[in-house]
Structure formats: structure tokens, C-alpha cells
Amino acid sequence: MNDKLINLENKIINDIFLMALDTPYYPYDDFLKQDLKTLQLKKETNLIAVSNKLEPIKNLDFRYTLSSKDSDQSIISNKIDSTIHDLNLDSLTNIGRFKIVRNYDFSKKVNQGVLGSIQFSRIAFNQQFTKGYLVITTKDKVKSSVERLVFVELINGKWRIRKSIIISVS
């Protein structure tokens, strides 16, 4: 079950990757600028750093408070796996025009030449593995950070973000 769970988490992150980026925090004017000679996107303007570690969901008190108000209490009933997993960055193909910076240390405040960074937590599932939630943290190159609790659902064979709640902004 462990390998299946890791593969499922990788699939979910791939499916929601572009929707998970916190777009208001990224300077898309710069991102969309093209080199006038080659008409290609400038290499330094489309890099996103992705943490290759899926950390366990922290702040359990918040999770239980939320579960009593949320309609998906069945998601909370499963025990959350507390181990750290590696995110298979090669499985991320739903990345649009972004390029992924590998082996990124998410504890760094700013990474030279990178638009922003994103980190995904482990995913808690309902018993049918059709719904779940995770914490997504995005940072921009100016040190702004947003942490969101994101509910996902399997719809027609693809995982989609159903609801996103901002936990913190710094």
C-alpha cells in the first residue's frame, strides 16, 4: 500500500500543480516576456522551485477544529501517515510553461533566478481515496508566503481542487 499511496500522491500533485500555484504572487508580466530575437521565453523567467519532500501535515489542532465545521468529516477519520516521502519531480508534467528547479531547499528565503517556490504536504484521504486534503505553501522571490489548506476530489479520473482555505500569509 505504501508505494501505491506514494504514486497516488504524485498523481494528485501533478493533476493540481498549475491550479495550486498561487498566481497573484508571481510577476507574470516578466514571466510572459519573450526574447525578441528567438521569440522564446527567457530561461530565467519561468523557473519554479518545488520541494522534493512531502512533509506530514502539521498543526493537528487546526485540522480537528476545521473538521467539525467541514462537510467532509470522513476525510479526517483516516490516520495521517506521518512519514516524509520524496516527491517524484519527474512525474510532474502538468507544469505549463514553467520549468522546475530540482533539489530545492525550501527553507531558503529567496533562490536566485526563481519566480517562486511551492511545497506540498502529505495528503490525508477519505476511506474510498476519492477525496483528500493537503497543505500547500507558496513563496515568491520577494519573501511573501501563503499557506493554504486545500481540499481535492477525484472527478472523471482527474484530481481537482474543490476548496482552498488560506491558513497564513506572511
Side-chain angles (χ1 to χ4, degrees), residues 25-27 30 109-111 114-116 139-143:
Y25 285 88
Y26 295 118
D30 291 339
K109 297 268 186 206
V110 178
N111 217 22
V114 174
L115 284 176
K139 294 180 182 178
D140 70 9
K141 64 183 180 182
V142 189
K143 302 182 191 176

Side-chain angles (χ1 to χ4, degrees), residues 9 37 43 80 83 89 111 113 120 132 137-138 140 147 168:
E9 287 177 325
K37 291 180 183 176
K43 290 181 183 176
I80 297 172
T83 57
L89 295 178
N111 217 22
F120 300 92
T137 306
T138 53
D140 70 9
E147 187 175 42
S168 69

Side-chain angles (χ1 to χ4, degrees), residues 17-68:
F17 187 82
L18 286 174
M19 293 181 291
L21 289 174
D22 192 32
T23 55
Y25 285 88
Y26 295 118
Y28 279 99
D29 291 336
D30 291 339
F31 167 65
L32 294 174
K33 286 182 183 174
Q34 296 177 339
D35 183 297
L36 294 177
K37 291 180 183 176
T38 64
L39 298 179
Q40 299 295 314
L41 290 173
K42 293 180 180 179
K43 290 181 183 176
E44 70 277 5
T45 61
N46 63 342
L47 299 176
I48 293 291
V50 180
S51 173
N52 63 339
K53 298 290 182 195
L54 297 180
E55 302 272 343
I57 295 174
K58 298 173 182 135
N59 202 348
L60 297 179
D61 292 337
F62 178 78
R63 189 186 78 220
Y64 287 122
T65 302
L66 180 70
S67 70
S68 64

Side-chain angles (χ1 to χ4, degrees), residues 6-170:
I6 292 170
N7 290 336
L8 180 58
E9 287 177 325
N10 281 332
K11 179 179 178 5
I12 291 169
I13 291 168
N14 184 57
D15 284 355
I16 69 168
F17 187 82
L18 286 174
M19 293 181 291
L21 289 174
D22 192 32
T23 55
Y25 285 88
Y26 295 118
Y28 279 99
D29 291 336
D30 291 339
F31 167 65
L32 294 174
K33 286 182 183 174
Q34 296 177 339
D35 183 297
L36 294 177
K37 291 180 183 176
T38 64
L39 298 179
Q40 299 295 314
L41 290 173
K42 293 180 180 179
K43 290 181 183 176
E44 70 277 5
T45 61
N46 63 342
L47 299 176
I48 293 291
V50 180
S51 173
N52 63 339
K53 298 290 182 195
L54 297 180
E55 302 272 343
I57 295 174
K58 298 173 182 135
N59 202 348
L60 297 179
D61 292 337
F62 178 78
R63 189 186 78 220
Y64 287 122
T65 302
L66 180 70
S67 70
S68 64
K69 297 175 185 171
D70 193 61
S71 61
D72 279 325
Q73 291 188 17
S74 61
I75 294 173
I76 310 304
S77 66
N78 277 357
K79 184 177 179 184
I80 297 172
D81 190 342
S82 62
T83 57
I84 296 173
H85 284 173
D86 286 335
L87 174 61
N88 178 2
L89 295 178
D90 291 331
S91 72
L92 299 180
T93 57
N94 182 33
I95 58 173
R97 293 190 276 177
F98 292 108
K99 291 192 181 356
I100 293 177
V101 174
R102 299 177 163 279
N103 303 319
Y104 176 66
D105 180 359
F106 201 74
S107 65
K108 291 180 182 178
K109 297 268 186 206
V110 178
N111 217 22
Q112 190 66 22
V114 174
L115 284 176
S117 57
I118 188 165
Q119 183 175 39
F120 300 92
S121 75
R122 297 292 312 278
I123 303 171
F125 295 97
N126 65 355
Q127 291 180 346
Q128 298 79 22
F129 290 90
T130 57
K131 294 180 181 179
Y133 70 89
L134 68 156
V135 175
I136 299 174
T137 306
T138 53
K139 294 180 182 178
D140 70 9
K141 64 183 180 182
V142 189
K143 302 182 191 176
S144 297
S145 175
V146 176
E147 187 175 42
R148 294 174 290 141
L149 182 64
V150 176
F151 291 86
V152 294
E153 185 173 8
L154 184 61
I155 301 171
N156 297 327
K158 291 277 186 189
W159 288 90
R160 300 289 178 229
I161 294 176
R162 190 171 51 97
K163 182 173 24 174
S164 179
I165 301 168
I166 294 176
I167 300 171
S168 69
V169 177
S170 60

